[in-house]
């Protein structure tokens, strides 16, 4: 009676999947990953999902998976894939005992003692594109049989593990990568040319840290956020003054300045002439060009 209650499942063996008994790693390309019944292994798996979706059931916990999901699966875990829909992933199989490089593998690859919540992560788009190339290189190397390839595969696998540490983030963390934060901010600034922009509100909206974002911005652009926004506004003002018919007050408003006197002061300070004069000069030039041409 008791026996009937014991769930038995398939146990996959290293000998069936690895190229030789020297190889510690192999990349199983699952493009697509079909449905796959509950199983365990005598090796570990590092799974990176590239596209599509499906259900991943790891030790009876259900995860809806899609691009950017990363799982560290240990030999004794049991898992399955269900309800797959164009699911594409790379499954990096590795045998811990066969790793020979003196790296801190225990820190890089969570082992059986690590809580399952620490074994599910996410990658953002920049992380995915870096990892994509590395995994491809690893997949090629794992298929070679020359004496160096086993070691080279291990070196590439070490690199993949390190890059994952760099790019992965907890699934529920609202944190975006530095590149994503910067992109988001640059876009928000562009659409704020004619409106007020408050960095603190922006950071609150996207759960970002204002201090570190300011630092990042300065580091990458060489300017402060407000300085950049002012430049954007002045560029737009110059364009409108040259080509538009609006009054100075209207130009000021289109460029996010509530007060047109203040606009004139700022404009004068950075362009060297008052807005009215700037327009006149340009329009004079235009008229002169017109006379020459005609
Ligand atoms: C399956 C699936 C499993 C893996 C085997 C080797 O398609 O990815 O998780 O253990 O391949
Ligand atoms: Ni598996």
């Amino acid at each position: 009676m008791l026996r009937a209650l014991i769930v038995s499942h398939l146990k996959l063996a290293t000998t069936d999947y690895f190229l030789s008994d020297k190889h510690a790693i192999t990349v199983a390309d699952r493009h697509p990953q079909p449905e796959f019944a509950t199983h365990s292994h005598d090796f570990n798996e590092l799974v990176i999902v590239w596209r599509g979706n499906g259900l991943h059931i790891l030790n009876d916990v259900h995860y809806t998976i899609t691009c950017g999901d990363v799982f560290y699966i240990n030999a004794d875990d049991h898992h399955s894939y269900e309800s797959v829909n164009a699911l594409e992933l790379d499954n990096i199989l590795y045998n811990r005992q066969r790793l020979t490089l003196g790296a801190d593998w225990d820190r890089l690859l969570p082992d059986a003692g690590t809580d399952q919540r620490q074994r599910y992560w996410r990658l953002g788009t920049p992380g995915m594109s870096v990892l994509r190339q590395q995994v491809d290189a690893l997949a090629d190397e794992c298929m070679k049989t020359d004496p160096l390839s086993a070691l080279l595969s291990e070196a590439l696998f070490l690199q993949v593990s390190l890059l994952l540490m760099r790019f992965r983030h907890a699934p529920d963390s609202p944190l975006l990568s530095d590149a994503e934060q910067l992109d988001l901010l640059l876009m928000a600034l562009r659409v704020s040319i004619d409106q007020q922009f408050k960095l603190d509100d922006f950071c609150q909206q996207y759960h970002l840290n204002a201090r570190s974002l300011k630092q990042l911005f300065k580091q990458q652009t060489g300017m402060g956020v407000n300085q950049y926004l002012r430049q954007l506004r002045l560029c737009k003002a110059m364009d409108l003054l040259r080509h538009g018919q609006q009054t100075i007050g209207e130009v000021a408003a289109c460029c996010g300045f509530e007060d047109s006197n203040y606009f004139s002061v700022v404009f004068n300070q950075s362009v060297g002439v008052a807005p009215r004069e700037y327009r006149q000069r340009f329009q004079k030039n235009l008229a002169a060009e017109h006379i020459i041409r005609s």
Side-chain angles (χ1 to χ4, degrees):
M1 182 61 196
L2 199 69
R3 264 167 182 250
L5 288 175
I6 298 172
V7 190
S8 74
H9 46 245
L10 210 65
K11 182 144 186 164
L12 310 183
T14 298
T15 41
D16 293 328
Y17 290 95
F18 293 67
L19 202 59
S20 76
D21 55 10
K22 294 275 171 303
H23 280 80
I25 303 128
T26 188
V27 179
D29 125 2
R30 296 292 183 253
H31 299 205
Q33 169 69 59
E35 300 207 337
F36 202 88
T38 306
H39 62 283
S40 60
H41 332 75
D42 67 5
F43 48 84
N44 303 330
E45 297 184 330
L46 179 49
V47 176
I48 306 179
V49 183
W50 303 113
R51 305 192 57 222
N53 62 77
L55 263 186
H56 183 209
I57 300 145
L58 174 59
N59 299 323
D60 306 317
V61 181
H62 288 60
Y63 301 83
T64 316
I65 55 170
T66 190
C67 52
D69 284 331
V70 174
F71 287 91
Y72 295 83
I73 295 161
N74 288 310
D76 292 328
D77 290 337
H78 57 273
H79 72 144
S80 61
Y81 295 97
E82 285 178 17
S83 310
V84 296
N85 176 21
L87 183 62
E88 289 183 14
L89 54 85
D90 276 318
N91 191 353
I92 307 173
L93 320 183
Y94 65 98
N95 187 316
R96 236 173 222 274
Q97 287 79 44
R98 288 189 184 171
L99 296 171
T100 58
L101 287 179
D104 189 357
W105 292 111
D106 288 345
R107 202 173 67 84
L108 293 174
L109 303 164
D111 63 8
T114 314
D115 190 303
Q116 187 158 320
R117 276 168 296 184
Q118 293 297 306
R119 298 198 277 113
Y120 168 44
W121 298 86
R122 284 209 36 83
L123 285 175
T125 320
M128 277 178 78
S129 63
V130 170
L131 263 305
R132 175 76 271 172
Q133 293 174 22
Q134 293 296 322
V135 173
D136 285 346
L138 174 61
D140 283 352
E141 201 53 51
C142 290
M143 294 314 292
K144 295 182 186 162
T145 48
D146 63 283
L148 272 181
S149 70
L151 207 53
L152 250 173
S153 305
E154 204 179 318
L156 289 168
F157 180 57
L158 176 59
Q159 209 164 328
V160 165
S161 319
L162 286 165
L163 287 168
L164 277 173
M165 301 277 281
R166 170 174 287 171
F167 287 105
R168 72 187 191 184
H169 62 87
D172 51 0
S173 111
L175 281 183
L176 297 170
S177 71
D178 283 359
E180 287 167 318
Q181 290 186 40
L182 203 58
D183 276 351
L184 206 59
L185 176 55
L186 286 166
M187 276 188 314
L189 290 171
R190 280 206 169 270
V191 299
S192 296
I193 291 184
D194 61 348
Q195 301 155 25
Q196 258 210 350
F197 179 82
K198 287 203 178 127
L199 188 66
D200 285 338
D201 293 351
F202 169 82
C203 288
Q204 216 173 357
Q205 185 183 353
Y206 292 101
H207 309 280
L208 305 173
N209 179 303
R211 234 184 95 215
S212 48
L213 184 54
K214 272 189 212 164
Q215 267 172 11
L216 175 71
F217 192 92
K218 183 90 196 190
Q219 197 182 47
Q220 296 300 317
T221 68
M223 293 178 277
V225 175
N226 287 329
Q227 193 184 353
Y228 177 65
L229 186 54
R230 202 170 47 232
Q231 301 286 17
L232 281 179
R233 290 177 163 157
L234 289 171
C235 288
K236 174 147 186 205
M238 288 194 268
D239 190 43
L240 292 175
L241 289 168
R242 282 176 159 211
H243 305 292
Q245 303 303 322
Q246 294 112 309
T247 65
I248 305 294
E250 284 164 351
V251 170
C254 286
C255 302
F257 292 88
E258 280 174 29
D259 173 11
S260 86
N261 288 331
Y262 178 61
F263 164 64
S264 297
V265 171
V266 174
F267 191 93
N268 210 334
Q269 265 171 7
S270 40
V271 185
V273 286
R276 201 172 306 281
E277 201 183 325
Y278 180 84
R279 166 176 273 166
Q280 278 164 1
R281 268 194 204 175
F282 185 72
Q283 292 186 347
K284 249 187 237 154
N285 287 347
L286 259 190
E289 267 175 39
H290 193 71
I291 293 167
I292 291 167
R293 264 198 230 120
S294 56

